[in-house]
Amino acid sequence: MPVVLILGATSDIGVAIAKKFAAEKYGVILASRNPEQLSPLKSDLAIRFGIDCYSCQFDAMDFGSHQNFYQSLPVKPDIAICIFGYMKDNEFVSAHPDELVRTIGTNFTGAASILNIIARDFSKRKSGTIVGISSVAGLRGRQSNYIYGSAKAGFIAYLSGLRNRLFRDQVHVLTVLPGFVNTSMTEDLQLPPLLTAQPVEVAVALYKGVSKKKNTIYVKWFWKWIMLIIKMIPEPIFKKLRL
């Protein structure tokens, strides 16, 4: 039974992905800062789908613990999916250094730290798939969320470089750009329904991307063209817009 590791499993997207892979008969390792919250999901997956399911503690900001975390897993994964993220109001983050550190640390440094460890293992084994969920916010900086977006931009570049590095070791690296998603992290935002995906849509698109060994996917296809237009706006005009 192949095994998938989900980093950030208590998130709405993490739960949807866990259910999708369990339905496809993958063993599942659920990881989050609060593993006690994972107990109901762990039991549900194991009973409903008849799979092996584990839960463990993982803190993205505790960089020094990442090596021990990976070494202590009950079984080494075939697929590692990095879902965790952190986003607060941009003005609030810019005024509070602790929030700045947490935003960059969670969305970039923590992700790169644990994926570096997993990448070394997959490289030695000459197999595996690494999936990183980034954001279209990382494709061009905007005044409304440029701190969060800059961390996600770094993560996009990191995944691209990792894909280039691991290609000859037969390790697949997938970048996922969901666009707006209806989750608890975005519940305070006024999101346009037409442009907003549900967590289960992210899970289905991600599973297809893994199965077809895609490099980068957008959950809703039109985000590719929306972001292409936004990236093509000349800087003298773009800086005058309120985005």
Side-chain angles (χ1 to χ4, degrees), residues 15-91:
V15 172
I17 290 172
K19 291 180 178 178
K20 175 61 180 173
F21 276 84
E24 300 293 341
K25 297 301 180 186
Y26 278 75
V28 177
I29 306 173
L30 305 166
S32 81
R33 283 187 300 161
N34 301 303
E36 64 275 8
Q37 293 182 5
L38 296 170
S39 294
L41 177 62
K42 174 186 170 184
S43 300
D44 178 59
L45 295 178
I47 295 171
R48 184 154 39 129
F49 299 105
I51 62 162
D52 296 328
C53 190
Y54 311 91
S55 61
C56 50
Q57 185 175 34
F58 171 77
D59 187 342
M61 287 292 290
D62 188 2
F63 314 133
S65 71
H66 290 179
Q67 185 69 53
N68 287 337
F69 160 79
Y70 191 69
Q71 287 178 339
S72 65
L73 289 178
V75 59
K76 290 296 180 287
D78 302 282
I79 301 173
I81 303 176
C82 184
I83 300 169
F84 56 79
Y86 181 74
M87 182 177 71
K88 292 292 183 182
D89 175 76
N90 197 75
E91 292 304 307

Side-chain angles (χ1 to χ4, degrees), residues 159-179:
L159 291 168
S160 176
L162 195 63
R163 181 160 45 245
N164 185 222
R165 174 192 164 197
L166 296 177
F167 173 74
R168 289 171 181 78
D169 292 331
Q170 294 83 53
V171 178
H172 173 217
V173 179
L174 170 64
T175 304
V176 180
L177 301 172

